[in-house]
Amino acid sequence: MSRADTVRFRHNQAILAAAIVAFIGALPLASARWWLLWVLLVPLAVGVWAWRSGTDADARELRLRALLGQRRVPWTRVAELAGDPRGRAVARLDDGQVLVLPAVRATDLPRLITATGQEMPDEAPGQ
């Protein structure tokens, strides 16, 4: 994916700032005893997740990124994009599988569709 034609959706960066503050706040506890060092892993994992996870879209595919992995979905496999009752954006694939798009809200769907190079469908008459 070229950065120029890719639309990126990421979580709010305040999560990353909170993870850094939590890491610094956990340092005194973790340094008190060697067996408490694992406490530092929690804010570290949250920070990496906040920095890494999200959705990238371009004219060829969707790329869903998580803490430890990623999944590429070509647009040819996407049957429908919609919002769920919680306000998240979801993609229904041609095999019926539903994927929640990380960091994409239902209100972001027009921007996501524009990334495909397609136009937004016109609303039905009477709406």
Side-chain angles (χ1 to χ4, degrees), residues 4 7 13 17 19 24-25 31 35 38 47-48 55 59 74-75 86 96 98-99 103 105 113 119-120 123 126-127:
V7 177
Q13 292 302 300
I24 293 168
S31 62
W35 46 270
W38 66 270
V48 171
T55 301
W75 284 112
R86 295 178 59 188
V98 177
L99 300 174
R105 308 295 300 163
I113 292 169
E119 296 294 323
M120 283 288 295
E123 295 219 8
Q127 287 186 359

Side-chain angles (χ1 to χ4, degrees), residues 1-10 55-58 111-112 114-116:
M1 277 189 214
S2 159
R3 286 193 182 266
D5 59 351
T6 300
V7 177
R8 296 178 53 161
F9 297 91
R10 294 293 181 264
T55 301
D56 297 337
D58 66 6
R111 201 172 103 191
L112 181 65
T114 303
T116 68

